Amino acid sequence: MSGAAEARPKVLVARMLLPAGMELLAERCEVVEGGLDVSSERLLELAPGAVAMVADPTVAVGGELLDATGPQLQVVANFAVGHDNVDLDACRRRGIAVTNTPDVLTNATAELALALTVAAARRMSEAEASLRAGRWVGWDPGAGLGLELSGATFGVVGMGRIGRRYAELVTPLAGETLYVSRTPKPEAERDLSAVRVELAELLGRADVVSLHVPANPETTGLIGSAELRAMRTHAVLVNTARGALVDSAALARALQEGEIGAAGLDVYETEPDVPTELLQAPRCVLLPHIGSATTTARDGMARMAAENVLAVLGGSEPPNRVV
Ligand code: DGY
C-alpha cells in the first residue's frame, strides 16, 4: 500500500461510514461510497475492483455482490456486531475475510434494551401518544397501569457481551435473574447471581424476557405462538437483537389477546418495513433499530471497521475476524 506512484487500493463503503472511520481509510485508500439510499443494482456497478468492502446490517453481501466485486476482494468489514447480512460461507469459499465490530456497542445496545424494558413495562408510548393527542384530561388512578420492575424476575436469552451487560444493568432491580445460554457463564452466576435454565422454564417464570442472541438458522423464529403462550400474561418481551428471532404476527396477536403484557422492539424481520399488525398492537414500544446509536458506539464501530480493513490490506490479522 505504499509508494507514491502506486494506485491506492479501492475500498467500497456500501452505504456510508462516519468520519472516525472514513478519515482513517482515506489516508491510504481510494474510498467509494454508495450513499444511504444505494440500491443493490448501484452497488453491483460500484463494486468491481474493490479490495475491501464496508457493509452494514442493511446490505446483503452474497454471491452476486462478491462476484461483481471480483477475485481481488480481500475483506468484508461489517459495520455492526451482527453479521447475518453477510453470507459467511460464500466469503469462506472465496477466501474473503469477514470482520465485525464487537464490544464498542455493548453499552449502547444494553442501555437501549433497559430503556425499552422500562418504557414497555410502563406503557410510555401509549401514554405519550395520548398526551400529545390532547386526550389527557387529568390524573386518573386507574389509567396506564403498568408493571413494576423492582423485584421482578428478569430473563436474559443469550448471555454474550450484550446480554451480560443488560443483566448487570438490571441487577439493582432484579429479584431474580434467569438466563439461557448454550454454555454456562460462571462469572454471571457468581457476580450477578444469574441462574441458567432452559428457555421453556425462563419463559414460564420471567416477568421480563430480553433477547440477546444472534440471528442464524437455529434462532430464527425462536419466539413464536407457543413461546408467547408460555409467557406470563403480564410479562414484557424486549428485542434489541434481530427481528428474525420473533414471529411478529404471533407477537401482535399475543398483545391483542392479552397473552403477554407488553413488548419493546428495536428490530424487525423486514426492516425498514414494520409489520402493520405490530403498528396497531397495543402496549408496544417500537423503535427504528437504534440500539447502537450513541456517538461513542458509532464512532467506535466506524473506527473498528476501518482498522479491520487496513489490517487485512496491510497483510496482518484483522482484530475482529469472524471468518
Ligand atoms: C449490530 O451491530 O448488529 C447492530 O444491530 C447495529 O446497530
Side-chain angles (χ1 to χ4, degrees):
M1 288 202 318
S2 60
E6 272 176 40
R8 288 150 68 88
K10 171 175 168 178
V11 176
L12 172 65
V13 171
R15 292 176 75 233
M16 68 89 77
L17 193 62
L18 295 173
M22 191 55 108
E23 282 161 13
L24 285 179
L25 289 180
E27 280 171 20
R28 298 163 70 180
C29 309
E30 178 211 338
V31 185
V32 175
E33 262 189 308
L36 282 182
D37 54 0
V38 71
S39 64
S40 36
E41 293 74 29
R42 180 72 186 133
L43 262 186
L44 295 176
E45 287 168 13
L46 293 173
V51 292
M53 186 188 301
V54 177
D56 70 35
T58 70
V59 180
V61 182
E64 194 185 9
L65 180 56
L66 297 172
D67 287 342
T69 310
Q72 75 296 327
L73 180 64
Q74 295 177 44
V75 56
V76 174
N78 215 33
F79 180 64
V81 68
H83 40 71
D84 47 300
N85 59 304
V86 182
D87 183 339
L88 298 184
D89 286 336
C91 290
R92 224 177 258 120
R93 280 196 298 276
R94 289 165 177 79
I96 298 165
V98 178
T99 65
N100 69 345
T101 61
D103 299 317
V104 287
L105 46 60
T106 297
N107 284 331
T109 310
E111 286 168 16
L112 193 86
L114 172 62
L116 276 173
T117 301
V118 179
R122 298 300 299 273
R123 304 172 60 178
M124 287 189 190
S125 288
E126 283 166 69
E128 188 181 10
S130 146
L131 177 149
R132 287 181 185 275
R135 291 195 302 267
W136 185 34
V137 289
W139 190 80
D140 176 346
L145 303 184
L147 175 70
E148 190 155 304
L149 293 169
S150 297
T153 297
F154 285 83
V156 183
V157 180
M159 196 52 109
R161 299 177 185 87
I162 299 172
R164 155 85 199 209
R165 183 66 183 135
Y166 175 80
E168 275 171 13
L169 293 176
V170 300
T171 289
L173 290 171
E176 194 179 20
T177 301
L178 307 176
Y179 77 100
V180 170
S181 170
R182 277 192 305 201
T183 54
K185 303 290 179 187
E187 284 178 15
E189 295 180 12
R190 186 193 62 217
D191 302 344
L192 308 174
S193 308
V195 178
R196 182 169 174 239
V197 294
E198 295 298 323
L199 181 62
E201 181 175 348
L202 182 146
L203 294 173
R205 288 176 55 194
D207 300 305
V208 176
V209 175
S210 190
L211 306 180
H212 301 283
V213 287
N216 57 41
E218 255 173 74
T219 59
T220 297
L222 184 72
I223 304 295
S225 306
E227 290 73 23
L228 291 159
R229 264 197 304 276
M231 287 172 64
R232 307 182 75 179
T233 51
H234 62 258
V236 175
L237 177 70
V238 174
N239 188 9
T240 52
R242 282 293 182 269
L245 306 182
V246 179
D247 175 341
S248 49
L251 174 58
R253 210 168 32 242
L255 288 162
Q256 292 289 1
E257 291 172 8
E259 277 176 11
I260 70 166
L265 307 177
D266 186 44
V267 287
Y268 309 88
E269 284 157 289
T270 50
E271 296 177 14
D273 296 326
V274 180
T276 313
E277 60 265 35
L278 277 182
L279 292 169
Q280 292 167 347
R283 306 179 311 282
C284 193
V285 180
L286 303 174
L287 297 178
H289 201 151
I290 56 167
S292 63
T294 66
T295 307
T296 306
R298 290 279 166 85
D299 279 351
M301 292 162 71
R303 213 173 295 117
M304 223 173 203
E307 284 166 358
N308 280 307
V309 165
L310 293 173
V312 173
L313 299 188
S316 4
E317 180 60 18
N320 310 102
R321 182 192 279 274
V322 176
V323 159

